Amino acid sequence: MRIHFLRGGKKKTTIIDGIRFDSKGEIRRYADLKLKLSAGNIQDLQVHPSYIVLESFTDESGAKHSAIRFTPDFQYYENGKLIIEDIKPVMTYYTK
C-alpha cells in the first residue's frame, strides 16, 4: 500500500493504491473493506463507481442539459446484497 499526499488549494488529497481519497474517513473505511475483501466477507469491491441518475437531454426550448451523476465512495456485495456507501463527515454538536 503506497500513500501519497497531494495538496491542491486548501483541500488535501491522499492517494492509496492509485486511488484518490478526500478524507481520513474514506481512507479508514477503504482499509476496513480491503480486510473484509481479503477475508472473503465481501466481494467485488469498487471505489468511486459512477451512476447516471438522469440522462443528458435537450428541453423543449432547445437548451441542452448534462447528465446528472452520483458517485458514491464504495460499492460491494455482502451476503449476495449490493451495498453502496457514501462516507460523510461526522457532525459534532457542542452545548454550553
Side-chain angles (χ1 to χ4, degrees), residues 11-12 18 24 26 31-32 36 38 40 55 58 60 68 85:
K11 193 169 193 177
K12 186 175 183 181
K24 291 179 183 177
E26 281 184 50
D32 181 49
K36 288 183 175 193
S38 64
E55 295 283 348
T58 304
E60 296 168 352
I68 297 173
E85 294 183 3

Side-chain angles (χ1 to χ4, degrees), residues 21 25-43 45-47 73-78 83-85 87:
F21 294 97
E26 281 184 50
I27 295 166
R28 282 191 292 270
R29 186 62 179 148
Y30 176 66
D32 181 49
L33 290 173
K34 278 186 64 174
L35 287 174
K36 288 183 175 193
L37 183 65
S38 64
N41 296 331
I42 65 170
Q43 297 80 38
L45 174 62
Q46 295 181 35
V47 180
D73 296 316
F74 306 105
Q75 170 186 307
Y76 57 91
Y77 286 88
E78 185 173 35
I83 308 294
I84 298 170
E85 294 183 3
I87 307 299

Side-chain angles (χ1 to χ4, degrees):
M1 180 183 296
R2 297 189 71 201
I3 300 175
H4 300 279
F5 297 100
L6 302 176
R7 200 173 268 287
K10 293 183 179 181
K11 193 169 193 177
K12 186 175 183 181
T13 302
T14 305
I15 298 177
I16 300 175
D17 296 340
I19 304 166
R20 289 180 185 256
F21 294 97
D22 293 330
S23 71
K24 291 179 183 177
E26 281 184 50
I27 295 166
R28 282 191 292 270
R29 186 62 179 148
Y30 176 66
D32 181 49
L33 290 173
K34 278 186 64 174
L35 287 174
K36 288 183 175 193
L37 183 65
S38 64
N41 296 331
I42 65 170
Q43 297 80 38
D44 193 26
L45 174 62
Q46 295 181 35
V47 180
H48 302 129
S50 183
Y51 296 93
I52 297 175
V53 176
L54 180 65
E55 295 283 348
S56 58
F57 66 95
T58 304
D59 65 20
E60 296 168 352
S61 67
K64 294 183 179 182
H65 300 272
S66 299
I68 297 173
R69 296 181 180 274
F70 170 60
T71 306
D73 296 316
F74 306 105
Q75 170 186 307
Y76 57 91
Y77 286 88
E78 185 173 35
N79 300 323
K81 292 183 180 179
L82 175 63
I83 308 294
I84 298 170
E85 294 183 3
D86 196 30
I87 307 299
K88 298 296 178 195
V90 176
M91 299 285 291
T92 305
Y93 295 94
Y94 295 97
T95 59
K96 291 186 178 186

